[in-house]
Amino acid sequence: MTNVLIVGSGPTGLTLAIELARRGVDLRIVERSPQPPTGVRGKGLQPRTLEVFDDLGVIDEILATGSEYPSMRSYQGDKVVWEGSMGQLREPSDGVPYPNSIMQPQWRTERILRDRLAELGHRVELGAELTGFEQDDEGVTATLSTGEQVRCAYLVGADGGRSTVRKQLGVGFVGETYEDERMLLADIRTGDLDRDYWHVWGSLADRTVHFTICPLPNTDIFQLVTPDTGEDLTELVARHAPHVRIDEIVWRSEYRVNIRMAERFRAGRVFLAGDAAHVHSPAGGQGLNTGVQDAYNLGWKLAAGSEALLATYEDERMAVAEHVLGLSTRLYRENDTRRGDNTNQLDLAYPGSPLSVGERGGERLGAYFAEQRGTGFLLLADTAAGHPVLPADTAPGHPSTVLPADTAPGHRFTVLPPLDGQEGVMLVRPDGYIGYHGDESGLSAYLSGFGIAAPLSDAAR
C-alpha cells in the first residue's frame, strides 16, 4: 500500500513529495495535466521559502537562475515619471541567510523541484487525474482517470483552487470572488524595453494601473499584467505606450480575484494544502509561498505517522493562512507593492499550537541553519550538564547525533550547544521551529506525548 498519495504537482505538491522522499516514505504524486505548465503565474519566492529550499537541496539553482526584484519605472507615455524599488535590499546575516525576495518564474521553480524529486527516485505521474476517493479507518482508496485504484494511508489534495479533493470532501471554501475584478496575465516578447526595470503604466494621481511589464530572469520573456477589460493587448499597449511593440504573445491566462479559505484543512486521512486550502490576491506574493510552508509543515508529520503530530497540522496552518490572507487582501486593496518584514514570512510562528511549549515555543529558530539541513531534530542543550536526554559520551561544546533504537525514520537528534543566554533546553522541529523550550526534565514527556522516541542515553548506546 502506498503511504501517501499527493494530488497536484505544483510547488506545494512537489515540496511535500521531496519532504517525504528524503525520509524514505513510499509516495506517489499524480497530476491531471498531460505536461508541465509553461506560463508564469507566481514568480516571487519569499525569504522563508528560500530557507526551505536550502533545506530541500535546491537553493543553489534557485539563486543561480533567479534574480532579486528589479527597480520599478512608472511612465506617462514614453516619459519616465518615477523610479523606485519595492523594498530595500539587505545583506545576509547569521539569522537571515536569505534576506531578499527572489523572482523566479513558477514553471522553473517547479522544474527545479521535479528534478530534485527525480534525484530522490520519484517522478510526477502526468495525465493521471483523481476522479474520486473513499476513506475508512485504515486508509484511502483513490480512483484515477487511468482506471487504476490506489490504496494509500493518507491522501493530500494540493490540486489548486478548484480542488477535486476539497469538493469531494464537501469542505466549504469561504470567502469572496470579485466577479468585476478580472486580471489578465500574458508572457510576451518585446525588444523595446530595458530588462533592468519593472515597467508600469498608470495614474499616480488616483493610484490606478493600466498594465505592468516585468522582465523574467534568465529568459527573453516579459510578464504583462493588466485588468481584463476585454481590450486587445496590442491595442492596450499601443494606446498607453506607443513606443512599445509586442512582438509575440507566448502565453496568456485570465483569472478572477479570489480570496478564500477552506473551512477545514483535514478530514480523517485526507489533507488539504496550498491553493486547495486557501487562495489569495496576487498582492504581496504570498500564495505560492504559503503553500510551500503548508507542505513543509505537513511532510515531517506524515513521515512520523503519529496521530498527535498530524492533528497539529490544521491548527497551525489555518491560523497562518488566515493571517496571510488578511495581509494580502489589505495590500491588494491599498495597491501596495512594497516588500519587507510583513511579506517575507520570517516572523510567522505557531505560538498557540499544542506543539509549542515554553517561552520561545513556536518561534522560528533563526540560527544553526547549516545544522538544520536534513530530516531530524536539533536539541540545544548544555552537554556538560549531563542532561538525562543526552548520551553519556557527548563531548561538551561539540555536536553529537543520536538515533534511538526504537525511533521512527527521521527522528534523528543532533545535539548542539545552547544559544547565548538560553535557559533550559530547546528542541527544534525538523521544519525549523522551536517545539519545546524549558527544563530538561519535561522533554521526554513532551516527546512521548507526540509519539516521538526520546534520545535517552540508554537507548542511544
Side-chain angles (χ1 to χ4, degrees), residues 122-460:
H122 295 271
R123 296 187 182 276
V124 176
E125 299 176 40
L126 296 170
E129 181 177 3
L130 178 80
T131 59
F133 64 87
E134 295 180 350
Q135 63 172 313
D136 53 48
D137 291 343
E138 303 299 323
V140 182
T141 301
T143 303
L144 304 180
S145 58
T146 59
E148 181 185 5
Q149 285 197 327
V150 180
R151 183 67 174 169
C152 54
Y154 300 100
L155 185 148
V156 180
D159 50 342
R162 299 177 180 177
S163 170
T164 297
V165 176
R166 187 190 65 244
K167 291 176 181 177
Q168 180 159 335
L169 284 174
V171 173
F173 208 32
V174 180
E176 298 178 89
T177 298
Y178 298 98
E179 297 289 349
D180 57 343
E181 296 185 31
R182 295 175 179 265
M183 302 297 291
L184 174 64
L185 301 177
D187 293 349
I188 67 169
R189 288 190 174 97
T190 177
D192 297 327
L193 289 173
D194 191 329
R195 294 191 63 85
D196 292 330
Y197 292 91
W198 189 337
H199 309 274
V200 181
W201 280 264
S203 170
L204 291 175
D206 56 12
R207 295 179 63 84
T208 59
V209 175
H210 303 315
F211 58 87
T212 69
I213 300 179
C214 178
L216 299 174
N218 286 292
T219 74
D220 62 350
I221 301 294
F222 290 82
Q223 183 188 60
L224 185 151
V225 181
T226 182
D228 187 6
T229 62
E231 184 175 0
D232 178 82
L233 277 183
T234 302
E235 295 177 359
L236 172 70
V237 171
R239 182 157 59 89
H240 293 287
H243 63 297
V244 177
R245 182 182 66 183
I246 296 178
D247 297 323
E248 181 183 3
I249 299 175
V250 179
W251 172 87
R252 59 181 288 163
S253 177
E254 299 83 19
Y255 72 93
R256 297 170 299 176
V257 175
N258 279 282
I259 300 169
R260 294 181 178 272
M261 189 171 87
E263 292 180 321
R264 300 182 65 186
F265 284 15
R266 181 191 183 187
R269 291 178 169 271
V270 182
F271 297 82
L272 299 174
D275 285 358
H278 43 79
V279 290
H280 306 246
S281 81
Q286 300 295 291
L288 180 158
N289 295 274
T290 304
V292 167
Q293 306 304 323
D294 289 345
Y296 198 53
N297 180 290
L298 181 59
W300 69 276
K301 297 173 182 178
L302 281 171
S306 160
E307 174 54 36
L309 279 177
L310 291 171
T312 66
Y313 169 71
E314 184 175 74
D315 287 340
E316 292 185 341
R317 295 310 298 172
M318 283 192 78
V320 167
E322 184 175 9
H323 168 79
V324 174
L325 277 171
L327 169 65
S328 60
T329 301
R330 179 182 63 78
L331 294 175
Y332 178 74
R333 288 292 165 222
E334 297 175 1
N335 198 22
D336 189 343
T337 61
R338 291 172 296 178
R339 299 288 190 272
D341 291 342
N342 63 334
T343 59
N344 64 24
Q345 300 200 344
L346 294 176
D347 291 335
L348 296 179
Y350 305 123
S353 169
L355 269 174
S356 303
V357 172
E359 181 181 354
R360 290 198 61 191
E363 295 181 12
R364 166 180 162 273
L365 177 63
Y368 283 129
F369 283 101
E371 291 80 1
Q372 284 186 53
R373 295 187 185 112
T375 59
F377 294 79
L378 296 187
L379 182 60
L380 310 188
D382 182 0
T383 59
H387 297 308
V389 295
L390 303 181
D393 58 353
T394 298
H398 294 278
S400 174
T401 299
V402 184
L403 183 62
D406 59 344
T407 192
H411 287 180
R412 184 177 294 273
F413 294 75
T414 298
V415 183
L416 294 164
L419 303 176
D420 290 343
Q422 173 185 321
E423 295 184 2
V425 301
M426 280 187 189
L427 181 75
V428 184
R429 301 160 27 162
D431 58 359
Y433 292 90
I434 298 167
Y436 179 88
H437 180 200
D439 190 81
E440 71 271 17
S441 62
L443 180 56
S444 293
Y446 168 86
L447 289 168
S448 62
F450 291 103
I452 303 169
L456 298 171
S457 56
D458 58 352

